[in-house]
Amino acid sequence: MSSFKALRVHQADKGVEARIEDMRVEDLSEGSVVIRAAWSGINYKDALAVTGKGKIMRTLPLNAGIDVSGTVETSEDPRFLPGHEVLVTGCGLGEVHDGGFAGMVRVPGDWVVPMPDGLDLRRAMAVGTAGFTAGMALVRMEQNGQEPGHGPILITGASGGVGSFATRLFSRAGYSVTAFTGKTDAADYLQSLGAADILDASQVDYGKRPLEKAIWGGAVDSLGGDALTWLTRTVKPWGNIGAIGLAAGIELNTTVMPFILRGVSLLGINSVECSRDLRLAVWQRISELLQPDDCDAIISGEVGLDDVLESAESLLARKARGRTLVRLA
Ligand SMILES: NC(=O)c1ccc[n+]([C@@H]2O[C@H](COP(=O)([O-])OP(=O)(O)OC[C@H]3O[C@@H](n4cnc5c(N)ncnc54)[C@H](OP(=O)(O)O)[C@@H]3O)[C@@H](O)[C@H]2O)c1
């Protein structure tokens, strides 16, 4: 098989160095399915990995990219035939296994998801791990009793990849969404995704009491730290909080009061390691809810492998909005 380009991260004297290299399939991490990659997308984790600003990769050198969509090239797994359109998100891709910022990817068959109805190679990567994780929050919260009549859903980091898809998916599922954002110019964008209200993060008084006035029916949090602490104290009785991210911090300084006096549930969302049944159920729910134009509205741009580093810096500097796709074909 001919060679292809990959964005490969190496150990350097200080931190890491990401560079584009020629590789062959036999150089890749092992697996039963070889995928000719078409698209990937830049997630927060990818930005940390390629810049070295976070320790995401647990072995080096490694191809970056936690997501990929493409066409099966060869397969030893009877569930997948050459030509099938598929996607992979998480599962260790780009963390312990050569990832999606490459012309070819080789993975175990259990990681491979057949292209869900209504999505295509490009739209699937607009969703990517970010949208999948937002979808998992919706599924888990509803499994735990969340329903639109319970009250508005507060979504933090709303203009980011996870936040944009959470805004779109929850509003499509019939919830009233309040988008919490630090970007003063994001209101029109977030309203176009279905947000009923916008909350300017700089204007929010987090308060100090173990229980503040209960406002939110539930919440989806990409930030951690003070924002998540505040959410535990302001979600209504029996509401759910999907704890997804740590963009603002890893601390959580709350008390047991919201849990024992209001029955609030803090649900952990792990998009990397989950059962295959849950993975397929989340993709099914996403594909049922999304309308054809929804993904296009969240795509903020497309880059080639050459420009991934610059886009990653921009994402970490909080300048990015929605999802940036990586063109691989
Ligand atoms: N649990 C999982 O399986 C899983 C999966 C995917 C992602 N994540 C995590 O979820 C988070 C979001 O990921 P993403 O891909 O959506 O990233 P992203 O596109 O960079 O979005 C994060 C958003 O959070 C806000 N933000 C960023 N830094 C902040 C800070 N220091 N203080 C306050 N707000 C900040 C910004 O939104 P505004 O400007 O609108 O406020 C930003 O757009 C990350 O922590 C990521 O690691 C977890």
Side-chain angles (χ1 to χ4, degrees):
M1 226 174 259
S2 56
S3 68
F4 54 86
K5 304 272 181 215
L7 186 65
R8 196 158 176 82
V9 179
H10 292 261
Q11 190 68 55
D13 289 346
K14 286 185 184 160
V16 302
E17 185 193 351
R19 52 181 191 252
I20 295 176
E21 289 178 13
D22 288 314
M23 291 185 75
R24 304 178 77 84
V25 167
E26 44 280 27
D27 304 327
L28 293 171
S29 310
E30 305 232 326
S32 53
V33 183
V34 176
I35 299 166
R36 181 173 290 277
W39 295 96
S40 184
I42 304 180
N43 294 281
Y44 193 83
K45 227 179 210 179
D46 296 315
L48 293 175
V50 297
T51 58
K53 290 190 174 145
K55 194 163 165 41
I56 300 300
M57 294 177 159
R58 279 166 273 157
T59 175
L60 291 173
L62 199 71
N63 294 349
I66 66 170
D67 295 339
V68 75
S69 69
T71 308
V72 174
E73 183 80 2
T74 61
S75 173
E76 293 159 24
D77 186 317
R79 291 172 292 182
F80 306 103
L81 296 174
H84 275 173
E85 291 191 346
V86 295
L87 64 90
V88 183
T89 63
C91 297
L93 200 68
E95 295 189 62
V96 294
H97 193 101
D98 281 316
F101 295 166
M104 293 278 186
V105 178
R106 183 165 62 169
V107 291
D110 277 345
W111 297 8
V112 180
V113 174
M115 188 59 60
D117 288 342
L119 293 177
D120 56 27
L121 293 170
R122 186 168 178 274
R123 289 190 174 126
M125 286 297 102
V127 180
T129 284
F132 174 74
T133 308
M136 185 183 284
L138 174 63
V139 167
R140 287 215 64 201
M141 287 167 69
E142 289 190 333
Q143 281 172 344
N144 205 40
Q146 197 74 45
E147 44 94 15
H150 213 97
I153 302 294
L154 192 281
I155 293 174
T156 63
S159 76
V162 172
S164 293
F165 268 102
T167 301
R168 186 68 283 187
L169 289 170
F170 275 81
S171 59
R172 283 274 182 240
Y175 293 84
S176 174
V177 168
T178 299
F180 174 106
T181 181
K183 292 189 181 77
T184 50
D185 60 353
D188 289 350
Y189 168 69
L190 291 166
Q191 276 158 355
S192 78
L193 298 184
D197 290 297
I198 310 291
L199 202 53
D200 177 348
S202 68
Q203 301 300 312
V204 175
D205 175 5
Y206 288 145
K208 288 198 170 65
R209 293 177 297 179
L211 293 173
E212 298 284 349
K213 184 178 176 202
I215 312 168
W216 314 115
V220 178
D221 179 56
S222 287
L223 304 184
D226 291 342
L228 179 56
T229 302
W230 170 68
L231 288 173
T232 62
R233 298 189 269 118
T234 52
V235 163
K236 291 183 184 180
W238 300 105
N240 297 282
I241 303 167
I244 287 181
L246 42 61
I250 60 167
E251 272 83 34
L252 175 59
N253 294 312
T254 192
T255 69
V256 296
M257 303 298 253
F259 311 114
I260 64 175
L261 294 183
R262 288 184 176 164
V264 166
S265 293
L266 185 58
L267 302 179
I269 306 298
N270 179 348
S271 63
V272 179
E273 290 163 23
C274 68
S275 72
R276 186 165 170 81
D277 283 351
L278 177 59
R279 190 173 287 284
L280 295 176
V282 170
W283 278 110
Q284 169 80 20
R285 182 91 164 110
I286 289 170
S287 72
E288 285 165 5
L289 286 173
L290 287 181
Q291 304 284 315
D293 291 346
D294 287 351
C295 293
D296 301 338
I298 294 175
I299 297 169
S300 59
E302 291 176 16
V303 296
L305 285 180
D306 289 341
D307 296 318
V308 166
L309 262 178
E310 193 183 324
S311 293
E313 296 282 6
S314 163
L315 185 140
L316 294 178
R318 292 177 71 177
K319 292 184 194 149
R321 201 187 71 185
R323 299 270 295 153
T324 301
L325 297 185
V326 182
R327 199 184 322 103
L328 302 163

